[in-house]
Each structure stands twice: as C-alpha cells, then as structure tokens.
C-alpha cells in the first residue's frame, strides 16, 4: 500500500515532464529543501511527507491541493 502515494506523486512529476532532480532543485531554491533526490525519495517511500511539504511539492509542480467535501463534484 505504501507505494501508492509514492507512485502517485512520481506520476505527477512525470506528467509535468520533470525529473526528480529538477523537482528537488526547485524545492531547494523555492523552499530551502535539501537538494538531495534521495531525501525526497525516502520521504515518499516512508510516506513521511508533511502536509506543508506536500503543498510545496504541489506548488513547484504547478498544482494546488484543494479540500473538497466528499460527494461534491
């Protein structure tokens, strides 16, 4: 089950035509993240990404996280 989150986020990265290295560089420049791909990869593998980190990751990928009540479409 753990790989689902990792695979989902990696698919967003691929859909944006980016590499993990490019994403990490943007996160480092914009938000002061570590510039280590292995750090991001480990967070995804362990599912230990904090909410603020998820928001920042979505931002550099050109997405926003939207809260929507279930059933509302």
């Amino acid at each position: 089950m753990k790989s689902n989150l990792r695979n989902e986020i990696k698919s967003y990265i691929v859909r944006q035509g980016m590499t993990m290295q490019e994403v990490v560089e943007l996160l480092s420049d914009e938000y002061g993240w570590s510039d280590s791909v292995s750090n991001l990869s480990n967070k995804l593998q362990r599912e230990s990404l904090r909410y603020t980190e998820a928001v920042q990751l979505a931002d550099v990928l050109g997405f926003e996280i939207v809260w929507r009540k279930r059933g509302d479409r």
Side-chain angles (χ1 to χ4, degrees):
M1 193 73 156
K2 282 191 175 192
S3 65
N4 288 342
L5 176 65
R6 179 174 168 255
N7 290 338
E8 182 177 344
I9 291 175
K10 286 180 108 178
S11 74
Y12 283 113
I13 292 170
V14 169
R15 279 188 256 168
Q16 292 307 106
M18 299 175 79
T19 65
M20 289 281 280
Q21 183 63 48
E22 291 169 325
V23 171
V24 165
E25 287 171 5
L26 285 172
L27 288 166
S28 177
D29 291 346
E30 294 288 323
Y31 297 106
W33 283 39
S34 163
D35 60 357
S36 166
V37 171
S38 63
N39 267 359
L40 176 56
S41 188
N42 288 338
K43 283 179 183 267
L44 297 177
Q45 186 69 35
R46 291 188 314 263
E47 292 191 354
S48 62
L49 197 67
R50 292 185 207 141
Y51 182 72
T52 55
E53 294 170 329
V55 170
Q56 293 168 352
L57 178 57
D59 180 54
V60 300
L61 291 173
F63 292 92
E64 62 183 19
I65 297 174
V66 177
W67 288 56
R68 183 180 65 225
K69 188 165 175 66
R70 285 186 212 122
D72 292 349
R73 302 249 175 210

